[in-house]
Amino acid sequence: MPDQLLFGMEVALNGLMAGVMYSLVALGFVLIFKASGIFNYAQGVMALFAAMTLVGIQNGQVPFAHLINATFGTSIHHFGWQVPALLAILLTVVVMAAFAWAVNRFVFRHLVNQEPIILFMATIGLAYFLEGVADLMWGAEIKKLDVGLPQGINTLIDETTFNAFGYGFFIDNLDIVATIIAGLLVAGLVIFSQYTKQGRALRAVADDHQAALSVGISLNYIWVLVWSIAGFVALVAGIMWGTKSGVQFSLSLIALKALPVLMLGGFTSIPGAIVGGLIIGVGEKLFEFLIGAPFLGGATENWFAYVLALIFLVFRPQGLFGEKIIERV
């Protein structure tokens, strides 16, 4: 088998793995938009905040240490203990649930029945506020996140493909773990949505807020629930991306890569977020391999996803799995 074809297969596999990482961020957008019609611009910052909180708890860092030291002239930074990874993750989940309650209580509860653009602007303000709070709480330096996930080349795949083709495929263990976790997460969300009382209530709110209220479903409860779930998804995405590239403020920009994923998959489809992510991941890698590097000078991964999303907006604006909206006038 030609080396170029084998290398192309390796590129496609790595594209699938990268697409799963994009999908993890896109899932948070879908959950909130599906339940409340709010496009949550702050989802990427939520992933950053969750990852920074996890690292801070795990390392025993004192929250707001810089602010406390500047105000009182002290010099405290750490409590002096290390928190096990699993316990730190559970505590971070509690923090994200408290954040969900605060967002609903102090922001969106006062914006019920407002225009979508107002809600969208509120999420932009929330993103910048949360980024500032994260900086004050945990500091702006790059942090290493280690929760025990395997990293580096998967030797089994490398040896198997080398024995079979004479060419070893480089597949990162972290990408394999992310794929498995994303699959379990999607399966769990689908089961929750279809077979639980809270999931059915969430779908009812998504279909019609007024009808849901008329049968006794609390919008406040549902919105806190869905923001909590989105916070958990942001934590999972933050762990994967933070482990891969370090916890830094550029982590919040992964939300921008999730936008084309949403446009392809549809803003209201959980499976669509996964499929859209896989298409983007494979598409940008193969385009760079086949066309970008040989003919365009490379760096096409920076814009390929957005061009593909633009094409979809022209010919199928609802995405592959989105519902087509027909308005009669």
Side-chain angles (χ1 to χ4, degrees), residues 256-327:
L256 299 179
K257 207 54 175 287
L259 296 181
V261 174
L262 294 169
M263 294 172 190
L264 264 67
F267 279 83
T268 59
S269 173
I270 292 174
I274 298 298
V275 174
L278 297 179
I279 292 174
I280 292 292
V282 174
E284 68 180 13
K285 297 291 185 183
L286 287 180
F287 187 84
E288 173 73 14
F289 171 66
L290 296 173
I291 299 175
F295 304 109
L296 302 177
T300 59
E301 292 183 43
N302 295 330
W303 52 262
F304 172 82
Y306 301 98
V307 173
L308 184 61
L310 180 61
I311 295 172
F312 264 76
L313 285 175
V314 172
F315 295 101
R316 190 176 174 85
Q318 72 272 25
L320 292 173
F321 294 85
E323 298 175 358
K324 192 171 184 179
I325 299 174
I326 301 175
E327 294 185 359

Side-chain angles (χ1 to χ4, degrees), residues 65-225:
H66 297 291
L67 184 61
I68 293 171
N69 293 335
T71 303
F72 299 103
T74 55
S75 182
I76 58 171
H77 296 283
H78 294 84
F79 290 110
W81 61 64
Q82 293 284 322
V83 179
L86 182 58
L87 178 57
I89 291 172
L90 293 175
L91 291 173
T92 306
V93 170
V94 172
V95 171
M96 297 308 292
F99 167 75
W101 175 86
V103 165
N104 184 69
R105 175 66 178 82
F106 298 110
V107 182
F108 293 109
R109 185 177 178 182
H110 304 285
L111 297 175
V112 174
N113 295 326
Q114 295 294 330
E115 293 293 327
I117 186 62
I118 294 177
L119 298 174
F120 173 64
M121 293 301 293
T123 65
I124 293 178
L126 180 64
Y128 284 103
F129 172 77
L130 190 59
E131 191 169 332
V133 169
D135 188 3
L136 284 175
M137 283 184 71
W138 308 114
E141 66 276 4
I142 299 175
K143 299 172 177 63
K144 180 181 178 182
L145 176 57
D146 183 10
V147 293
L149 295 178
Q151 297 185 68
I153 185 173
N154 186 286
T155 54
L156 177 61
I157 294 177
D158 180 53
E159 293 173 359
T160 302
T161 53
F162 184 81
N163 292 332
F165 307 116
Y167 179 91
F169 286 11
F170 182 94
I171 304 295
D172 196 314
N173 282 309
L174 180 62
D175 292 335
I176 297 174
V177 170
T179 302
I180 295 171
I181 290 176
L184 293 173
L185 193 59
V186 171
L189 289 172
V190 170
I191 292 172
F192 170 79
S193 177
Q194 297 292 333
Y195 300 107
T196 66
K197 179 180 178 181
Q198 292 81 6
R200 289 191 292 269
L202 191 152
R203 287 189 289 128
V205 170
D207 290 336
D208 191 321
H209 290 179
Q210 296 301 323
L213 282 170
S214 68
V215 296
I217 297 175
S218 170
L219 287 184
N220 285 331
Y221 169 75
I222 292 299
W223 285 353
V224 169
L225 176 64

Side-chain angles (χ1 to χ4, degrees), residues 21 24-25 47 51 232-243 251 254:
M21 302 284 273
L24 284 173
V25 184
F232 175 73
V233 173
L235 171 60
V236 174
I239 290 174
M240 297 304 165
W241 282 96
T243 302
L251 186 64
I254 59 175

